[in-house]
Amino acid sequence: MSETGTYIFCGIQSEKPIEGLSIELEGEKRELYTIHYKDAAMVAAKAPMKIYHPKKDNLMMHQKVVSQVMEQNDTVIPVSFGNVFKTDDDVAVLLENLYPQFAKLFPEIKGKIEVGLKAIGKQEWLERQARENPEISKAQKSTAGKSEAAAYYDRIKLGGAAQNLFKSLQKEIEREMFEPLNDIAVASKKNDPISEKMLLNAAFLIDRDKEEAFDQKVNEIHDKWQDRLDFSYSGPWAAYNFVNIKLTVEDG
């Protein structure tokens, strides 16, 4: 049998032990418990000491625990997937080392959730934008009827024109979507697009009592742009995009 360690899911602000939560991990039901230092705690479960690969089932298991904890606690610091320590004492040392960061973060994320919004251009709309763009039309005409070698520099210009169009669309989306939502949010972050047609990939940290107003603004944006864009609106999540903590146990 493999050695058993302590898998940690998230940090919370609480002096009381967490109760009544469990998760299926590696084919077994495992009770969740907390390891404490002052008013901070790590939510953990006993699990085999091994490398946990970020497969869909494993990631969903991790996120499910964090979501369950968020239902019971309004100050949750997310921990990245797959962190297993040898003992509870190691986690206690980690938590003591991290406590100055936790103490600073607790008031910043208390009562707040993260939501994500992605906007992806529909193929027909993007193609229409390209057809109606003078710079692209001019570059296309320059390549017409030429051999591949003769049109080499014209094709470079065409690629540049397409990039310029995409950047202008991204700026429009930022003005129409990101900025109005940013006005409601406590904080926001623009992440890199993860597909060729993605015009916005953003995360927002919002107060729970502003969630309804934020949802309403997203719905307004969706209604205005739904014939041109596909939307992916996700959450609530813990503040993954707004917390940056390195998990290390100091020696000595």
Side-chain angles (χ1 to χ4, degrees):
M1 292 181 65
S2 60
E3 184 183 355
T4 297
T6 305
Y7 185 113
I8 59 174
F9 294 92
C10 56
I12 58 174
Q13 186 176 27
S14 178
E15 296 179 5
K16 297 179 180 179
I18 202 164
E19 295 179 344
L21 295 182
S22 62
I23 190 69
E24 185 169 312
L25 178 60
E26 294 293 298
E28 288 186 29
K29 181 180 178 181
R30 301 172 191 271
E31 299 299 319
L32 299 176
Y33 62 96
T34 38
I35 300 164
H36 293 259
Y37 179 78
K38 295 185 177 179
D39 63 339
M42 283 288 193
V43 178
K46 289 300 180 186
M49 282 290 298
K50 55 177 279 190
I51 294 173
Y52 288 84
H53 297 289
K55 299 184 296 184
K56 182 179 179 181
D57 288 350
N58 287 341
L59 293 171
M60 287 180 65
M61 172 276 300
H62 186 99
Q63 182 54 46
K64 183 178 180 181
V65 170
V66 178
S67 295
Q68 287 178 331
V69 173
M70 287 176 68
E71 292 176 4
Q72 294 190 8
N73 193 291
D74 68 353
T75 311
V76 178
I77 295 177
V79 171
S80 57
F81 166 83
N83 285 283
V84 190
F85 293 82
K86 287 185 177 180
T87 67
D88 287 2
D89 288 342
D90 285 337
V91 176
V93 171
L94 170 72
L95 184 56
E96 185 175 353
N97 290 337
L98 291 177
Y99 184 77
Q101 296 180 66
F102 273 35
K104 182 181 177 183
L105 279 169
F106 283 153
E108 293 177 2
I109 65 169
K110 183 178 179 64
K112 298 177 179 66
I113 57 173
E114 178 180 316
V115 294
L117 180 66
K118 297 179 176 66
I120 302 98
K122 292 188 176 183
Q123 186 70 30
E124 311 80 36
W125 177 67
L126 291 174
E127 288 174 354
R128 187 167 66 251
Q129 294 296 305
R131 286 195 303 271
E132 295 173 357
N133 183 271
E135 190 182 0
I136 290 178
S137 297
K138 183 179 178 182
Q140 285 177 327
K141 288 175 183 176
S142 297
T143 62
K146 292 183 180 179
S147 67
E148 188 170 334
Y152 177 75
Y153 291 106
D154 292 322
R155 292 183 190 280
I156 291 176
K157 288 180 182 178
L158 180 59
Q163 283 187 336
N164 289 339
L165 170 63
F166 202 77
K167 286 178 182 176
S168 72
L169 292 174
Q170 285 179 318
K171 285 182 179 179
E172 183 180 6
I173 296 303
E174 180 176 349
R175 186 172 60 252
E176 291 272 332
M177 299 182 191
F178 182 82
E179 291 177 4
L181 292 171
N182 185 49
D183 289 342
I184 303 172
V186 175
S188 58
K189 182 179 180 182
K190 285 182 288 184
N191 295 312
D192 292 334
I194 55 176
S195 71
E196 289 182 354
K197 295 184 289 184
M198 185 172 289
L199 294 164
L200 180 68
N201 181 16
F204 300 90
L205 188 68
I206 58 176
D207 284 312
R208 286 180 184 269
D209 58 6
K210 294 281 186 69
E211 187 176 3
E212 187 175 342
F214 195 91
D215 288 348
Q216 184 176 341
K217 178 57 71 173
V218 171
N219 287 333
E220 289 173 10
I221 291 169
H222 174 268
D223 290 346
K224 182 177 179 180
W225 286 83
Q226 61 181 325
D227 60 332
R228 291 166 281 179
L229 302 172
D230 291 318
F231 290 86
S232 174
Y233 183 40
S234 62
W237 311 109
Y240 287 98
N241 278 278
F242 303 94
V243 171
N244 183 20
I245 290 179
K246 190 174 182 181
L247 300 179
T248 56
V249 177
E250 294 180 2
D251 295 329

